[in-house]
């Protein structure tokens, strides 16, 4: 039986976090919409990363308890282009991932999304990815963590990258390596949202371009999926999302009895306070659709 849970990534509040929102303000917002999970980016949201103070960790756990939230997914970076003159080695990458696995465990998370540098516009990960992850599978098992690379536009599900991940799962037999699906791959219409710092090519060929991945492709990989980032760009006053087919997504998840978190990842225009209202609208929409699908008032 499907058991869908809802959370929010602090990335959704980019531009608002640490300006108009404190960490506690963000947690209060998440709890107020009825969500139970919180997702963070290690480098972006942990002061003094990768060595937060004991006081901050105590504050973190105190706020989790106060707002009845559970840590879900921890975003990690393995920067294969850290130096101009050479690529990161597998040894160095393995050390970075191990560091973040231990920190994620210390903060109570259950999964880690490693973002390894890519070598192509369709987001093929640097070749060190396999060795880096395989060398950390025992540690992930020891810490009860799932390592879950992200399937993100412009990479569809039917793609060599995903095939290689699934082959890795089957070869190692590890329960500590699974897939993270970003719902931006199901986008059906273009978004006009702009992000400072992204080239026009990156915006047109990246997250802005609709891939329209069919639900049948999602069904094929669901047994390997442990976490879903509920990417979206804009939800109107009428609670209509013109880009992401949420009814189809929820219907597919429930029909195939997938259980786990859908974690809001707002990536629309970064105007002050807009992310707060947008995340609230998304959760209202998702809860409404799930009730309709379940046939409950």
């Amino acid at each position: 039986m499907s058991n869908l849970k809802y959370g929010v990534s602090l990335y959704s509040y980019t531009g608002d976090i640490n300006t108009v929102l404190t960490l506690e303000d963000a947690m209060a917002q998440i709890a107020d919409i009825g969500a139970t999970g919180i997702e963070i980016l290690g480098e972006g949201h942990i002061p003094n990363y990768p060595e937060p103070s004991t006081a901050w960790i105590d504050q973190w756990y105190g706020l989790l308890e106060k707002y009845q939230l559970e840590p879900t997914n921890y975003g990690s970076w393995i920067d294969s282009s850290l130096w101009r003159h050479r690529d990161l080695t597998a040894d160095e990458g393995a050390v970075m991932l191990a560091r973040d696995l231990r920190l994620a465990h210390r903060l109570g998370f259950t999964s880690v999304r490693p973002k390894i540098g890519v070598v192509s516009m369709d987001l093929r990960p640097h070749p060190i990815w396999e060795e880096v992850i395989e060398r950390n599978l025992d540690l992930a098992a020891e810490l009860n963590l799932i390592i879950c690379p992200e399937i993100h536009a412009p990479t569809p599900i039917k793609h060599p990258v995903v095939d290689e991940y699934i082959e890795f799962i089957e070869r190692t037999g590890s329960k500590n390596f699974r897939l993270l699906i970003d719902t931006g791959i199901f986008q059906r219409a273009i978004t006009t949202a702009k992000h400072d710092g992204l080239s026009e090519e990156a915006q047109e060929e990246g997250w802005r371009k609709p891939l329209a991945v069919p639900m049948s492709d999602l069904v094929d990989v669901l047994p390997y999926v442990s976490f879903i980032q509920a990417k979206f760009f804009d939800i109107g006053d009428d609670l209509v999302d013109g880009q992401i087919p949420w009814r189809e997504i929820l219907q597919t998840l429930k029909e195939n009895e997938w259980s786990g978190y859908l974690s809001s990842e707002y990536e629309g225009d970064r105007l002050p306070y807009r992310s707060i209202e947008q995340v609230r609208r998304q959760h209202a929409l998702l809860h409404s659709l799930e009730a309709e699908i379940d046939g409950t008032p």
Side-chain angles (χ1 to χ4, degrees):
M1 182 176 181
S2 176
N3 177 27
L4 301 182
K5 297 184 287 185
Y6 297 96
V8 178
S9 171
L10 288 185
Y11 174 75
S12 296
Y13 300 128
T14 297
D16 287 331
I17 195 79
N18 297 326
T19 55
V20 299
L21 289 177
T22 64
L23 174 62
E24 180 166 5
D25 291 335
M27 286 188 167
Q29 289 288 337
I30 294 169
D32 190 55
I33 59 177
T36 58
I38 181 170
E39 178 184 4
I40 70 169
L41 307 178
E43 293 184 22
H45 298 130
I46 299 176
N48 301 313
Y49 167 89
E51 297 179 358
S53 68
T54 300
W56 187 86
I57 293 174
D58 289 344
Q59 178 196 28
W60 167 256
Y61 275 107
L63 292 174
L64 290 175
E65 182 176 2
K66 179 176 180 178
Y67 294 104
Q68 293 298 286
L69 298 175
E70 64 174 333
T72 56
N73 184 60
Y74 171 107
S76 165
W77 277 268
I78 302 168
D79 190 354
S80 59
S81 299
L82 190 59
W83 296 279
R84 290 186 177 184
H85 67 286
R86 68 172 180 89
D87 288 353
L88 201 70
T89 67
D91 285 345
E92 292 165 332
V95 168
M96 289 181 181
L97 180 54
R99 173 199 63 199
D100 279 335
L101 288 171
R102 292 189 176 95
L103 180 53
H105 174 71
R106 190 178 179 192
L107 298 178
F109 287 90
T110 55
S111 68
V112 170
R113 180 233 61 189
K115 181 72 78 173
I116 298 176
V118 299
V119 295
S120 66
M121 286 300 293
D122 59 351
L123 306 187
R124 290 174 182 264
H126 192 283
I128 65 169
W129 79 263
E130 190 165 1
E131 185 176 348
V132 166
I133 290 173
E134 189 158 9
R135 289 171 57 174
N136 277 284
L137 287 179
D138 287 344
L139 178 60
E142 176 188 331
L143 300 178
N144 198 27
L145 284 167
I146 294 174
I147 301 171
C148 49
E150 183 177 7
I151 311 307
H152 186 292
T155 307
I157 289 174
K158 300 297 185 184
H159 190 279
V161 168
V162 182
D163 293 342
E164 289 174 9
Y165 287 154
I166 292 175
E167 288 169 7
F168 181 85
I169 293 171
E170 295 177 344
R171 177 176 67 79
T172 62
S174 176
K175 296 181 180 179
N176 298 93
F177 183 79
R178 288 293 183 266
L179 304 179
L180 184 158
I181 295 292
D182 181 296
T183 57
I185 65 175
F186 306 116
Q187 182 184 345
R188 301 286 177 80
I190 194 168
T191 173
T192 58
K194 291 183 178 293
H195 282 194
D196 292 339
L198 283 180
S199 69
E200 192 63 23
E201 180 186 20
Q203 296 198 60
E204 289 300 331
E205 296 301 321
W207 55 271
R208 187 191 290 175
K209 182 179 181 180
L211 286 183
V213 168
M215 292 300 121
S216 57
D217 289 0
L218 175 60
V219 172
D220 289 343
V221 299
L222 270 181
Y224 304 103
V225 174
S226 65
F227 195 80
I228 294 176
Q229 284 181 335
K231 168 73 61 61
F232 73 109
F233 306 98
D234 182 75
I235 295 176
D237 295 343
D238 53 0
L239 297 187
V240 171
D241 188 324
Q243 285 89 35
I244 311 296
W246 292 113
R247 181 183 294 277
E248 292 180 44
I249 293 170
L250 293 181
Q251 187 83 48
T252 300
L253 296 177
K254 297 180 81 66
E255 286 178 355
N256 290 274
E257 299 185 344
W258 186 84
S259 295
Y261 265 102
L262 282 83
S263 182
S264 292
E265 190 180 64
Y266 171 65
E267 203 163 28
D269 289 327
R270 300 297 187 188
L271 301 174
Y273 299 99
R274 192 173 197 272
S275 64
I276 301 169
E277 176 61 22
Q278 283 292 305
V279 170
R280 185 172 293 274
R281 290 180 186 182
Q282 187 195 37
H283 281 249
L285 171 60
L286 293 177
H287 285 297
S288 174
L289 289 173
E290 186 177 7
E292 290 179 20
I293 292 168
D294 289 340
T296 56

